[in-house]
Amino acid sequence: MSLVRLFYPKTIAIVGASQNLDSIGGQPIKYLQKYGFKGNILPVNPKYSEIAGLKCYPSISDINEEIDIVLVAVASKRVLSVVKECVEKKAHFVLIFSSGFAEIGNVKEQQELIEAVKGSGTRILGPNNQGIVNFVEGIPAGFNPLLDAEVVRKGNIGIVAQSSGMGFASIGFAIERGLGISHIATVGNQADIDIMELIQFMLEDEHTSIVTCIIEGVKPNSRLPELAKLAKQKGKELVFLKLGRTAVGKKASMSHSGSLAGDAEVFDAFCQQAGVISVKDMEDLIDVLVGLQGKRPGGNRVVIATETGGSGILAADICDEFKIKTPGLTEETSSSLRKILPSFASVQNPVDFTAQFFNEEDLFRNCLLEVVKDSNIDVLMFSFGPTRGKVAEKMADDIIKVSKTLTKPIFISWLTPEQPFFKKLRAANIPLYPTPYRCVRTLGYIMRQESSMMSKEEKSASKPKHAVQQAVSLTEYQTKKMLEKYGIKLPKGGLATSFQEALNLSAQIHYPVVLKLMSPQITHKTDAGLVILGIKDEQELAASYNALLERAGTSFPQAEIEGVLVEEMVQKPVAEVILGIKYDVSFGPVMIFGLGGIFVEVLGDVARRVLPLTREQAFGMISSIKAFPLLNGYRGRPKGDLEALADTILNVSHFALEQQDKFAEMDINPIFLMPEGKGVICGDALLIPR
Amino acid sequence: MSLVRLFYPKTIAIVGASQNLDSIGGQPIKYLQKYGFKGNILPVNPKYSEIAGLKCYPSISDINEEIDIVLVAVASKRVLSVVKECVEKKAHFVLIFSSGFAEIGNVKEQQELIEAVKGSGTRILGPNNQGIVNFVEGIPAGFNPLLDAEVVRKGNIGIVAQSSGMGFASIGFAIERGLGISHIATVGNQADIDIMELIQFMLEDEHTSIVTCIIEGVKPNSRLPELAKLAKQKGKELVFLKLGRTAVGKKASMSHSGSLAGDAEVFDAFCQQAGVISVKDMEDLIDVLVGLQGKRPGGNRVVIATETGGSGILAADICDEFKIKTPGLTEETSSSLRKILPSFASVQNPVDFTAQFFNEEDLFRNCLLEVVKDSNIDVLMFSFGPTRGKVAEKMADDIIKVSKTLTKPIFISWLTPEQPFFKKLRAANIPLYPTPYRCVRTLGYIMRQESSMMSKEEKSASKPKHAVQQAVSLTEYQTKKMLEKYGIKLPKGGLATSFQEALNLSAQIHYPVVLKLMSPQITHKTDAGLVILGIKDEQELAASYNALLERAGTSFPQAEIEGVLVEEMVQKPVAEVILGIKYDVSFGPVMIFGLGGIFVEVLGDVARRVLPLTREQAFGMISSIKAFPLLNGYRGRPKGDLEALADTILNVSHFALEQQDKFAEMDINPIFLMPEGKGVICGDALLIPR
């Protein structure tokens, strides 16, 4: 059912309505009247006959109209009976403000609410939320003191907030920064209507072009990837503030909204891939929303202009930290500036316009006009010092005038508290920040998203379909044979079930060879001494073969023996790498890539990506680990076959996507990365069945 | 000469005084009058007879009074003659506002200014600065439009700023946050009076208890370590914002103030060791100054309290990021809170007071009183949502009242734009921030400094004094012998000048042995094939010995051969580590520690410390690298002898401090870290002479 009536209702009933208009049951009445809601407001409370000049009904069933929204502000133990009445009455939406459900462990009580509406046309938002406000038409179907204190401007930002307080807090800061809001929906425990449905509504709402979501957990099998695609199609922006990122935060989140917070690293990996912005604090959220009011940068080259050397340096330092380029100006621009500016001005990047424009009226505008012409830059960033007063206002006016003629964005850091003329800059949609750090950080967020958007190809390598046997307790040999079907290269060799077969295989593949005992009951072969490396000749082969069977017989008398895997000893790899697959409840299969051993385990030097991947993203994954130089011809050593590695990543990705019902985890470790042109070889592989 | 008259002058002359009171030569006159300066203001300009009601003099020599300060606002080419006049006149201080000196490469012109005052009693501040303002007595001997627009409150913060614009910008933000200022000194090119002298003045000034310094470069052989100690003795705080941290920023800084920016990593290492705070942006600077108005935390355990679940979670996430502990409440506190709060409230950490206090007047204060009693916490942090209005004001009043009775600090994040009652919190010195991130980041800065202060022991291991030969082109053998005198352990072995000596040495130390050819002209022995490892017996020894001499003869016919170093082959070290020494121009010898090979070179996993070190700091250095688990018994492997490693770090530190006149760099690589109780052994060492 569409959520349109939830956001654009004609009739709103309030159960638990109160004559105290500051209480939870009173606030919605006060705000609906204040905002001039044109529909019907229907207070419900058997204690009163009238509230704030409106007729008050004893119960929902006493109302003789179609009801779009029922707001519920009664004690938790009374909620279920109210919901049942609403179903009876065929009300469209029930917004339950009351707390005391799954967020404090009362899962059964919450389940009863879900059961009560099941199969009916009635849907629930909440419990444990603060409602919905439509600022476009002025319909505050919620409660929060902010609605009393502030005038919220209509605008292009829609907010979906799991934590109601955080949602309304974001509006407070948005007002301060001159931003306008279309809707806010607070979500609470998501017993029925969930975050994704609300995001979808906002993506489809004509008044909303930026959807902000303050989220704690993403539910299993989330529709988020689909919504990210929808946002892209519609040319709208999605910006997330994810709470519960750390172990401590997750625990707190659990007790606050009764939902699991999920893995923040996977969430960030998804966002990066999907061209969605993921911020970490309220302030960077608001800063990004300000930045998205401006034009979009076409690349990541920034020229910094300043009138105060120090703030230019600070901005340059921070650009470097966020990997934003600050190339020099073209010779043409430099020499034009030289002609205008005093000799002590720097015409590098940062460009120092100097305080000389205090004395020369048109100097600032003339410099500005030269700099924006430069073909080397995508963004002009002003990093101003504390200049204020009339001179500063004229600078702002010049910027506004010039900006109108540009396709490039202008971003400003102005190291001074709020000035009256800042309003003009905001009205002209020129992003404005109090410090270089916040300005550059915002550019970093927006540019990362842009570059992700640009590099994302929808085409993905073709996916072969294979019939694969059921996955229970596969041996290394069986696992490798499955992987081979997906194009993953194995060491030369095969399974021997007698010494003679082992002898023949070894002769074919040439010594030295490796022997590994295969049994579905023995997964940790190396620890059990069931792998022997570097066998040089027939004599050693015989001794090793017998030793393996003996050890297995002694240590694992019950184990079925599939045979002995005979493989070539892979010589001189450039590196041993790891590919792992984990299944994330929200996003499905996630790939992990890194160098073997301590690189992953001690140093945590890994790259993560949500599947599927494009070939370009596979390369991005390879080159994003810190140890990448070791794969790429470090200190005269041979360069690894990165093309083959990328292919293998895609092949493993196909495998993982197709087989995700059967396996909980996969670990290919090591993969031998051979020198260029020599491919990669799967050394060992382990699948953990579901 | 004391700087007291610079900050507390009685007579101020302005050369280049202008009737346009908004120009650089006019602003100081306007501000001195506005601030009610009680001394004499003496404008100097041959064009006028009067400016702003003051008598105007044709030149400095026409003034018949003792002059404390001369402000110079004339074109750069006229500055030298003005300075000469000032020297003639025996003026105490000349503040040169004019630009056009070392900052644009005019080093000679700046040098002439220095020569002009040399040997006289006159001292220069600048050129290229905006002067000095004493807010305690209201003496603005500088220019900046901020002085026109704002009323600056007297307070405990002194500012020393290399970039004048940044310095005045910090005052703008300080005013906004209710902070008070004692003095600002802008520095410019530091031709004469430098940053360190100004910091020292402020540390000794009775009105200043927090000294803030916005700095680009630290000069060679800086007095900063001594000043950090002085600050500690006086119980005052030093807070730095260092600009020019990155390559791009350094280049920009060079062209802005004509000074080298220095290595930011070394600067940060120094600050951490010295208990000085080093921030990265204007906003965290101001946030820290706000935090330092509050009480000091006694440790790093924070309890977070909230009325909005989401903001509590966010704060908990961020505490984790900054390694601040959020332990649970004591059983006693939890059960007391349980009795007061509704059942759906969380009495963990974060504590959720819930919005229930909207309905119950004393609930908030009662909860607050319970929480602050908890013995498990050092700081109470409120992470409030957007609660505002009367309820919020009452919360603030309760906090102020309770805070007065506490020794623990209360820090607040309040997710709402400025509210009228925030002024009361500031007046009560309760640090207040708009978001959890900024509040926690500030706590992180202050706590790191506190813990550094506490762990810093003044005692350092005793320093042996040694006579060492002159350092030119030492061989590995000579270098090792020097290190041995400082207690650094070498492999068994010695120098052989004949095969017979090599044979005897090998017999003594047992095979396998290592041979290395020693020549003062050959530094890269391994690359030249002049190191042979793993020699097993007398036969191999003979062949290897001859091979080395032959190779040296062929490849380096001119090289003097000192002999062949015969050493034991060190067996089974836990790890090979590196100790390096570099000399930083500002801070002297800096030690670098890390694991050998790619760990340092590719992964950049190193720890840096400015010397000298305490033993505790040596341990801190060892455990701060990411690869530390590899030294500490990783996966059942033996644990390294970390005690011996710490001793070696201290020994190398003594060596480096004593020999710093002779060596530019030192590299001990590898150091074999042996298992516990077996010490460490210096594998190879290289000294680069100055």
Side-chain angles (χ1 to χ4, degrees), chain A residues 7 210 228 261 293 322 374 404 408 558 599:
Chain A
F7 286 88
I210 301 167
Q293 303 300 316
F322 283 93
D374 194 291
K404 283 185 187 143
K408 291 172 193 177
Q558 309 296 325
F599 289 92

Tab-separated table of all heavy atoms in Angstrom, chain A residues 7 210 228 261 293 322 374 404 408 558 599:
chain	number	residue	atom	x	y	z
A	7	PHE	N	1.798	10.609	4.553
A	7	PHE	CA	2.477	11.909	4.499
A	7	PHE	C	1.524	13.056	4.128
A	7	PHE	O	1.805	14.205	4.440
A	7	PHE	CB	3.644	11.842	3.515
A	7	PHE	CG	4.815	11.068	4.045
A	7	PHE	CD1	4.894	9.694	3.873
A	7	PHE	CD2	5.809	11.713	4.756
A	7	PHE	CE1	5.964	8.981	4.381
A	7	PHE	CE2	6.888	11.006	5.267
A	7	PHE	CZ	6.965	9.628	5.075
A	210	ILE	N	16.945	15.188	-1.845
A	210	ILE	CA	18.024	14.618	-1.033
A	210	ILE	C	17.369	13.843	0.109
A	210	ILE	O	16.592	14.416	0.869
A	210	ILE	CB	18.925	15.717	-0.445
A	210	ILE	CG1	19.547	16.561	-1.566
A	210	ILE	CG2	20.005	15.122	0.444
A	210	ILE	CD1	20.192	17.844	-1.069
A	228	ALA	N	19.342	2.315	-3.642
A	228	ALA	CA	20.482	3.118	-4.104
A	228	ALA	C	20.418	3.271	-5.618
A	228	ALA	O	20.711	4.329	-6.169
A	228	ALA	CB	21.799	2.458	-3.677
A	261	ALA	N	22.644	-3.651	15.205
A	261	ALA	CA	23.231	-2.541	14.456
A	261	ALA	C	24.004	-2.967	13.209
A	261	ALA	O	24.194	-2.182	12.298
A	261	ALA	CB	24.119	-1.704	15.362
A	293	GLN	N	23.626	21.379	-1.719
A	293	GLN	CA	22.823	22.466	-2.273
A	293	GLN	C	23.564	23.160	-3.422
A	293	GLN	O	22.955	23.822	-4.251
A	293	GLN	CB	22.484	23.515	-1.196
A	293	GLN	CG	21.746	22.962	0.027
A	293	GLN	CD	20.414	22.326	-0.302
A	293	GLN	OE1	19.626	22.856	-1.078
A	293	GLN	NE2	20.156	21.147	0.262
A	322	PHE	N	42.563	14.420	2.787
A	322	PHE	CA	41.375	13.806	2.171
A	322	PHE	C	41.648	13.392	0.717
A	322	PHE	O	40.711	13.125	-0.027
A	322	PHE	CB	40.185	14.769	2.256
A	322	PHE	CG	39.572	14.827	3.620
A	322	PHE	CD1	39.975	15.775	4.543
A	322	PHE	CD2	38.610	13.904	4.003
A	322	PHE	CE1	39.426	15.822	5.814
A	322	PHE	CE2	38.051	13.939	5.265
A	322	PHE	CZ	38.458	14.903	6.170
A	374	ASP	N	40.460	29.136	-15.043
A	374	ASP	CA	41.541	28.150	-15.140
A	374	ASP	C	40.984	26.758	-15.512
A	374	ASP	O	40.025	26.273	-14.906
A	374	ASP	CB	42.294	28.079	-13.809
A	374	ASP	CG	43.607	27.360	-13.948
A	374	ASP	OD1	43.597	26.134	-14.168
A	374	ASP	OD2	44.656	28.011	-13.848
A	404	LYS	N	26.970	32.612	-10.566
A	404	LYS	CA	25.816	32.405	-11.450
A	404	LYS	C	26.239	32.064	-12.871
A	404	LYS	O	25.498	31.413	-13.608
A	404	LYS	CB	24.941	33.659	-11.474
A	404	LYS	CG	24.094	33.777	-10.231
A	404	LYS	CD	23.131	34.961	-10.305
A	404	LYS	CE	22.425	35.122	-8.961
A	404	LYS	NZ	22.223	36.523	-8.605
A	408	LYS	N	31.186	25.214	-12.573
A	408	LYS	CA	32.000	24.731	-11.445
A	408	LYS	C	31.429	25.234	-10.126
A	408	LYS	O	30.992	26.374	-10.047
A	408	LYS	CB	33.430	25.294	-11.529
A	408	LYS	CG	34.270	24.767	-12.649
A	408	LYS	CD	35.579	25.545	-12.739
A	408	LYS	CE	36.265	25.232	-14.049
A	408	LYS	NZ	37.505	26.003	-14.248
A	558	GLN	N	38.438	-42.942	13.051
A	558	GLN	CA	37.081	-43.023	12.501
A	558	GLN	C	36.929	-42.329	11.149
A	558	GLN	O	35.902	-42.468	10.492
A	558	GLN	CB	36.070	-42.375	13.468
A	558	GLN	CG	36.143	-42.846	14.911
A	558	GLN	CD	35.803	-44.315	15.040
A	558	GLN	OE1	34.952	-44.833	14.307
A	558	GLN	NE2	36.490	-45.030	15.930
A	599	PHE	N	49.446	-9.981	7.592
A	599	PHE	CA	48.916	-8.766	6.994
A	599	PHE	C	47.432	-8.607	7.302
A	599	PHE	O	46.963	-7.531	7.623
A	599	PHE	CB	49.138	-8.757	5.485
A	599	PHE	CG	50.559	-8.567	5.124
A	599	PHE	CD1	51.392	-9.656	4.929
A	599	PHE	CD2	51.097	-7.298	5.027
A	599	PHE	CE1	52.721	-9.484	4.626
A	599	PHE	CE2	52.422	-7.112	4.720
A	599	PHE	CZ	53.245	-8.210	4.521
